């Protein structure tokens, strides 16, 4: 089975956070491939990956990066696929630099930006499922179910 | 023709910004409906709208709001459709409050957040097209064309 | 005895902070009920709770949430009771996102916002007492006493 | 008729913003008195005002100030009445200094903080009404009405 | 020997930071008294202290407080002595709230603001010495010496 | 009559703001000299000025600068006089850069930092008077008077 | 004469700011070429430009961009030439987004970041001259002269 | 062999971060000298160092400092050499103060600013090599090699 979603990240150290996206996709039965690709350190590999993603059957690209986080934006520049950006927590500025670098894209090239860190990575997985589920009823049912389980996990009085 | 995209906003004063999303969708031949709905002032109408959107054939919801911008998040809580959030520029904090209120969603309920203001509204339109184009080759071709025209409009030496 | 104050929070993990509000109310002899309710994950339960609170005798609602903290605002949209918001400390942005999402409410729907974290939760309890004490002389005397004890606990020279 | 609400502000230049609170109270038939009192420039007058407010029948104090906005906090230190703080927009820091100085109160002395500027002033008026309405059914009905009118003013499609 | 400098702070927990001011003054042979006084929790004691400081021979008041840090400003409102403010590090906002609340004073009531935390407390001590030294040649010589020792402690190549 | 206070600034464009300090000093009958001196563009002139200020009878130096505002700090490095820093409003970051560059001095070299802009400049003048007044009873009386007039200018009900 | 310096920018609207770099270079007799190239809208043209710059004799690349300002970083990824980044003022966040996106580069790919806006553009020109002057005595003399003129333009008493 | 690059820092405690610059330079075979020099505590030594650097054969100066980080700017004021600034992480404000104090230089005196902390220090080393490599083919080849190794270290699928 070919992957529907690509999860890429700027550094191997982002894996613990970004694997949350993969786990989420996996829980919905959506296959993902994971790559470490850097907009700054492996720019040509990144571009090749972005340019060829659609032909290889990828439907959504999730990109996580920190600091001057250009990965999602660079990928979005080279594809017409929806690109989801996850701002990584950064060491000194706590991810506010990553957030601004990911979300403040110029008109013409959107990046669907998530929250900073692990919550954002999980939600990137869910958003990818929501997008794919538009033409996949089975997935849509799983999303409805997911929302129910989410509510159930919360509905507990005082511990 | 029924609309594929819903554009909602917290206040009529957001219309000049949010109509940029509609214009963009229109330029791709994608139909949108526009509503003023407030998470705080018309909460039940907002929820009804969110709950019924999918059945009415809507595929993507674009929500713009400012300040304590809860609109996109509240809508995302009530639908499994992809929700795109546009943080409105705010009077005193310049939209940084809108941005944080839109993007920092808890895990389980993603909002695909765009840049603050008009660039964000335009990009919300493009992202909606990218999502719909996954199963619509004609739209996909228009996106490829759009990227070319975007580049052409830039490729001019020194004015 | 029916509770006068409702303390709600977006996630069970907010309990250690939000229980400071309950302890404070308890020290004044004011009864509170505690619920975990999420604007995003249990939206309908949250609205039902807000809508019915006044009829059930609740006088003040204290709501704590973090990140894109919509809980207090969503509750305030569905009730005419005074709503006190406590911005939870958030992992990456330290509660500044929670603060902006709680305090920057549009005109028409106020949220009485407290400081970020445990100080805010304690003060939410005190503010609820101050509100109820307007028509309760016994409580008012306890507030005067509280202010005296507060001063006494501080008036100590150098340790 | 004696006023139920006191509206005070640090400088006469705050009047255009703070009079929004008075207008709101007036629309609910709640009487307010307005004073210019500065925590820094008329400190003793401010304290006397705060200390005597309850005896004079005041139920809620609304205090607006900007920059190192100490007015609401200083008043809250000298009364057991609920104190609502409105952070004024400031010239250089746009009210973020006013917001932090108003909301980040230490435990023991709450200030119910509103949004920066005119929205905050309006909401201060509404919150004061909500507090007084707890023991005033006529006011409570007006609040229900207000919420309806608020919704009606929004429910208009596309302009 | 009567103290020349008063060091006050909003909470006993500020003592480890604020005692750096005392140590610095002590190293110059300048006597200080230390008091815990809160603008919000012991407001009258604070005002009495401020009002009487000059008559008791105090020349400079150093005030440290955190969060909505009103202590230095409130003291400055009640005295014509120079008041030095030290913004305490705060738990969630790291002292940026303390800094804004201390430094952004309205015209008419200056607070000489130092850096956040221990560096600020040390420098508060030095500034107090610089002020007193204007009419005290012995102190002035110690300041010259201090500057030399400061330089000497730095002038070391690579460890 | 020789000046007691030096007012220096990084650029002639700072004069409209910094002349507020001079006017304030003038209103107290304290003489000031004004110089444009840049830490970055006339570094040696700046150092010579700082080094010689005390011998020339200057008692307090007020330094205003914007952006990477090093002027006050550089001057403080070369004198044992009290140095008051006024952060200039800056074009893009509104003076927050100037504030951090002025106030966050390392331990050993204090700069008495005022509010951003004109309020800060006025207060710099007052603080200088407060310092000089410690040994000048006439000035001290004028400060008491100033505080009274300040209060009188505020004590006016509703405009 | 071939240009030594390349000045590129993300949008034609950046030209008024970025032409300050060209004017500065021109005043030193250093030739520059100016191109509008966008990391997001003309990504391949940008990369080709970066990759070929050194062979074409360019010694320093100055790149200005705003918002999620990826231009300098993308260019730096594709060349071993020194790259100078100028953060453009942005509409809503005033250039703080541009600054973070430009300066917070990951280790391995430096961007020499200047101040936000026109000052930054001018300084980019000067830094480029400083770099080229390391092996060009004539330029070095002009830099010494420039510093003198800079000081002369400042050394004027009180306007 | 004489050093080509000077690495200076405001405090010995900056050495663990700043030695990353030296290691990077060393890996390219470029010699550096390291000095602890403070703009505020050893101002004259700092100026002498800056003024004489070029004559002693230094080509690039790397300066690291934190808080009100004036070191790079002060050095840049006294030399025509390219000056690279590394903002040190600061205790309370996490380096945002250091960043603003380093990067927001006035026009006329550029500082090539790097990212906050260790990444910035490493990149300062690389930028220095890039500058020197303009006239040194051997170094240029090492830079090309470095970029290849950087890419190779990243190009690894999923851990």
């Amino acid at each position: 089975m070919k992957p529907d979603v690509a999860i890429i990240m700027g550094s191997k150290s982002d894996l613990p956070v970004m694997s949350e996206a993969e786990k989420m996709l996996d829980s919905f039965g959506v296959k993902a491939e994971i790559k470490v690709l850097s907009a700054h350190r492996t720019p040509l590999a990144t571009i090749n990956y972005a340019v060829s993603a659609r032909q290889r059957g990828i439907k959504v690209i999730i990109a996580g990066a920190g600091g001057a986080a250009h990965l999602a934006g660079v990928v979005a520049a080279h594809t017409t696929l929806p690109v989801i950006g996850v701002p990584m927590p950064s060491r000194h500025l706590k991810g506010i630099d990553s957030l601004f670098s990911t979300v403040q894209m110029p008109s013409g090239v959107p990046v669907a930006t998530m929250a900073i860190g692990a919550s954002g990575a999980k939600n990137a997985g869910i958003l990818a499922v929501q997008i794919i589920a538009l033409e996949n009823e089975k997935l849509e049912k799983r999303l409805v179910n997911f929302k129910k389980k989410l509510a159930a996990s919360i509905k507990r009085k005082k511990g």
Side-chain angles (χ1 to χ4, degrees), chain A:
Chain A
M1 199 177 93
K2 283 197 304 179
D4 282 318
V5 177
I7 301 172
I8 62 178
M9 66 206 77
S11 152
K12 271 207 290 185
S13 62
D14 300 331
L15 197 55
V17 168
M18 292 308 293
S19 64
E20 296 289 342
E22 191 193 24
K23 278 185 227 160
M24 186 59 82
L25 287 162
D26 194 56
S27 78
F28 280 95
V30 173
K31 207 175 162 209
E33 67 179 26
I34 295 199
K35 292 261 184 218
V36 178
L37 283 167
S38 163
H40 300 122
R41 293 181 280 205
T42 62
L44 293 175
T46 301
I47 293 166
N48 288 339
Y49 188 83
V51 165
S52 64
R54 185 180 280 266
Q55 293 132 267
R56 290 189 305 102
I58 297 294
K59 288 177 178 153
V60 180
I61 300 175
I62 297 171
H70 301 185
L71 185 61
V74 162
V75 166
H78 292 279
T79 184
T80 55
L81 292 173
V83 175
I84 304 173
V86 181
M88 283 297 112
S90 57
R91 185 148 179 209
H92 301 295
L93 298 183
K94 304 299 174 201
I96 190 89
D97 46 356
S98 324
L99 174 58
F100 287 168
S101 305
T102 303
V103 78
Q104 286 294 82
M105 291 291 290
S107 71
V109 189
V111 167
T113 304
M114 299 287 107
I116 299 167
S119 298
K122 283 176 197 165
N123 278 349
I126 299 170
L127 179 61
V129 174
Q130 289 177 327
I131 290 171
I132 298 171
L134 285 174
E135 303 287 337
N136 181 329
E137 249 176 77
K138 214 165 55 186
L139 266 188
E140 159 62 12
K141 270 176 199 151
R142 284 184 198 146
L143 279 169
V144 172
N145 251 1
F146 173 78
K147 263 192 142 49
K148 282 185 194 150
K149 272 187 278 180
L150 197 66
S153 76
I154 302 269
K155 269 178 200 156
R156 253 166 268 171
K157 230 179 67 186
K158 203 180 169 174

